[in-house]
Amino acid sequence: MGITERSKKRVQLWKRAVVHFALCFVMGFFTGFAPTGKASIFARPAVFSSNISDHLSPRPVESPQQVAADVNRSLIAETPIVAMAAAPARPKERPENSRFISQKEEQQEEEKEPKLTPRRFIIIVTPTSTKNKFKSVLLRRLANTIRLVPQPLLWIVVEAKTESNGVSEALRKTGIMYRHLVFKENFTDTVAEMDHQRNIALKHIEQHKLSGIVHFAGLSNVYDLGFFDQLREIEVFGTWPMALLAANREKVIIEGPVCDSSQVIGWHLKKMKNQTDPRPPIHISSFAFNSSILWDPERWGRTSSLQSSSQNSIKFVKEVVLEDETKLKGIPPEDCSKIMLWSLRFHAAGGATTTKHQINQ
């Protein structure tokens, strides 16, 4: 029994070996008929591995001389092509006078642009009288006018010291740059009081060296807004005619200069008590002056001794203004006879008109 089992196992092993051999023979036989031009699936891994090896394999380092030689060869080879391509797009040559033409165009553009000139500083001085019943109303009316004047501008208002602060409150609400000056002295003569207030304002201008054109604006004055533009054109001294109007009266009194263009050649005169006075009276609101005459008189050919000897600044200013008419500039320069300033007389409650000093405020 044991011998037969062993013989059977050997037969089975032989059978398996023959079957495997036959299968391998058949596969090899048919593989020989397959086309050899196409790469087989078994050859692809070898190609991939060869590519990887090419990338990963170290390359020889080129010397700088070799790199420069290669670049020069490439540039030499490409130069004819670039020259042929760039030849049609050659820009036109500019004429020799193009630089002068461009400069002329720039000058024309600069001439077209508006030149901005700084406005001259205006200093308006307004005295107030406690005897004027219309002081509050006239102050607000004048403030509404000054508010329309372009800056820069300073409004100096002078008044006697009182318990009421109505003037201060009115000035704060105007939105105008102002200075409120107060004095303690008492006066019975209103004309003297007005001159004292003007002297206080002039001392303030002199002390702080405020540089600008000074104009005395009374509460009863009525202005053409173009007047302030003309006021800024004054260099040293300026003057203009003004109209004096009275309520319930048909006549108008003209005071001020008579001009030929901007040159003063005479004065509008009313009846004068002293006919021998060589210098005509000038209304306080019909002239203006450069404030530097107060604190720098030598600049205008004046000696400081003349100013120091005078205790009345407003009197000194009037003397300087009327001293030489050739220094006066009539405004507006085109037509000095044009009225741009009016002074009004108001009736009191009893029907009587105000006195002369109220006109000169």
Side-chain angles (χ1 to χ4, degrees), residues 68-82:
D70 295 340
V71 173
N72 292 335
R73 292 192 194 98
S74 62
L75 291 175
I76 292 171
E78 294 177 0
T79 300
I81 300 173
V82 174

Side-chain angles (χ1 to χ4, degrees), residues 132 134-143 219-220 346:
N132 191 343
F134 306 102
K135 180 176 70 174
S136 299
V137 177
L138 295 177
L139 184 68
R140 290 184 176 87
R141 182 182 62 82
L142 183 59
L219 291 178
S220 59
F346 294 94

Side-chain angles (χ1 to χ4, degrees), residues 114-120 151-152 232-233:
K115 295 182 180 180
L116 300 178
T117 56
R119 297 191 185 99
R120 196 180 298 273
Q151 297 296 323
R232 298 183 194 272
E233 301 298 327

Side-chain angles (χ1 to χ4, degrees), residues 10-51:
R10 290 178 180 177
V11 172
Q12 291 177 356
L13 290 174
W14 280 107
K15 288 180 179 180
R16 289 179 181 177
V18 172
V19 170
H20 288 175
F21 177 78
L23 290 174
C24 291
F25 177 80
V26 171
M27 291 180 63
F29 179 80
F30 286 105
T31 299
F33 291 98
T36 58
K38 296 182 180 178
S40 62
I41 58 174
F42 301 101
R44 290 178 182 175
V47 175
F48 178 74
S49 61
S50 63
N51 293 336

Side-chain angles (χ1 to χ4, degrees), residues 1 43 74 88 145 156 158 191 204 223 245 251 260 301 320 341 345:
M1 294 294 295
S74 62
T145 301
I156 299 178
V158 189
V191 176
H204 181 83
Y223 292 91
L245 306 177
K251 67 177 182 178
D260 181 10
V320 173
L341 171 60
R345 293 185 184 183

Side-chain angles (χ1 to χ4, degrees), residues 50-98:
S50 63
N51 293 336
I52 294 177
S53 63
D54 293 338
H55 288 287
L56 296 179
S57 61
R59 296 181 179 179
V61 179
E62 296 180 356
S63 63
Q65 291 80 2
Q66 293 176 351
V67 174
D70 295 340
V71 173
N72 292 335
R73 292 192 194 98
S74 62
L75 291 175
I76 292 171
E78 294 177 0
T79 300
I81 300 173
V82 174
M84 292 177 64
R90 181 178 298 176
K92 296 181 179 180
E93 295 181 357
R94 298 180 63 183
E96 295 179 357
N97 60 347
S98 60

Side-chain angles (χ1 to χ4, degrees), residues 12 18 39 44 102 108 140 150 156 181 216 257 309 336 355 358:
Q12 291 177 356
V18 172
R44 290 178 182 175
S102 61
Q108 291 178 353
R140 290 184 176 87
I156 299 178
L181 307 181
F216 297 102
S309 63
C336 184
T355 56
Q358 290 176 313

